[in-house]
Amino acid sequence: MIYEVRTYRLRPGTLAACEEVFGGRLGEREKFSKLGAFWHTEVGQLNEIIHVWPYDSLDQRIETRTRAMKSGAWPPPIGEFIEEMKSEIFIPTPFMEPLVPKQHGPVYEIRTYHYKPGSIPVVIERWKSAIESRTKLSPLTACWFSDIGDLNKFVHIWPYASLDERSRVRADAAKLPAWPPDTKEFLVNQENKIVAPSSFSPLQ
């Protein structure tokens, strides 16, 4: 399994129109493969949409996208709204459950850690031993590492009912003896975004 994460930065003031056009074409696109998630940013880099597409393999991604584009239904006509586009391929960690439609949010936090080259396998092992205690406090939506695009990225996504719940859960997590996993020696930088799902996102 791989996940393609496509991040588009939009012209200010065009988010609602862009989502309306995207959502209007989604039914035709999903005849070829299903959308995993669709968010827009609320805190962090604003005017971004983030859509996630699961595939069995890179070959399936190429074949699926080729068929979708040949159909004429995809991509949606949203070019007038876009200022920048980025596509990255991620591999799920062993402890990540597949993305399936769920009601977990509506607040999602996307945390992105850049690690030193060669350290991702060790990071995964340390997370594997600590993640069970953390997910008893709140679920983990996704956890993956980059394979194509900006390398040495480790991304984990957490859903919350509200920003207040996020603060409470993170305070409780800080009291756990094994959280956060001890990976400071490998960290280069960290960033996060607060995002919200669109009306048509399978993850709400």
Side-chain angles (χ1 to χ4, degrees):
M1 176 67 71
I2 62 170
Y3 292 91
E4 180 179 19
V5 179
R6 301 181 70 90
T7 304
Y8 299 171
R9 181 167 55 81
L10 309 179
R11 291 190 294 108
T14 65
L15 174 63
C18 181
E19 287 195 343
E20 182 178 1
V21 175
F22 192 105
R25 287 291 186 91
L26 183 59
E28 292 298 312
R29 173 59 178 81
E30 289 199 310
K31 292 178 181 178
F32 303 97
S33 73
K34 296 298 184 181
L35 178 69
F38 191 106
W39 297 293
H40 57 257
T41 48
E42 294 283 348
V43 178
Q45 176 67 61
L46 298 180
N47 303 304
E48 283 187 348
I49 57 172
I50 301 163
H51 38 124
V52 180
W53 299 91
Y55 297 103
D56 292 334
S57 65
L58 286 173
D59 286 342
Q60 192 219 2
R61 172 187 176 272
I62 293 170
E63 188 269 339
T64 299
R65 285 179 53 80
T66 298
R67 289 194 296 123
M69 287 187 282
K70 283 184 177 179
S71 75
W74 204 257
I78 58 174
E80 64 180 299
F81 309 125
I82 297 173
E83 292 193 333
E84 184 178 279
M85 305 169 74
K86 179 171 63 175
S87 172
E88 298 171 286
I89 301 296
F90 289 91
I91 297 174
T93 57
F95 46 84
M96 175 185 160
E97 296 182 2
L99 287 186
V100 295
K102 285 184 179 180
Q103 179 81 40
H104 270 326
V107 173
Y108 287 82
E109 181 177 20
I110 301 177
R111 300 182 68 88
T112 301
Y113 296 175
H114 286 81
Y115 284 104
K116 294 178 181 179
S119 63
I120 292 292
V122 178
V123 169
I124 290 173
E125 285 302 311
R126 294 186 184 181
W127 268 69
K128 190 187 300 185
S129 63
I131 194 66
E132 183 177 359
S133 61
R134 173 60 180 81
T135 53
K136 289 179 179 178
L137 300 177
S138 71
L140 175 68
T141 292
C143 188
W144 47 49
F145 57 96
S146 56
D147 187 54
I148 297 176
D150 191 3
L151 299 179
N152 302 304
K153 287 175 68 171
F154 187 85
V155 179
H156 42 119
I157 303 174
W158 302 90
Y160 300 101
S162 65
L163 289 175
D164 285 343
E165 186 195 44
R166 172 186 176 271
S167 296
R168 178 185 60 76
V169 170
R170 285 180 55 80
D172 289 343
K175 300 173 185 176
L176 297 173
W179 195 263
D182 186 12
T183 62
K184 293 188 295 295
E185 64 194 283
F186 307 119
L187 271 172
V188 177
N189 60 59
Q190 302 167 285
E191 60 186 78
N192 75 337
K193 300 175 184 178
I194 300 297
V195 299
S198 67
S199 61
F200 52 81
S201 176
L203 291 177
Q204 290 291 323

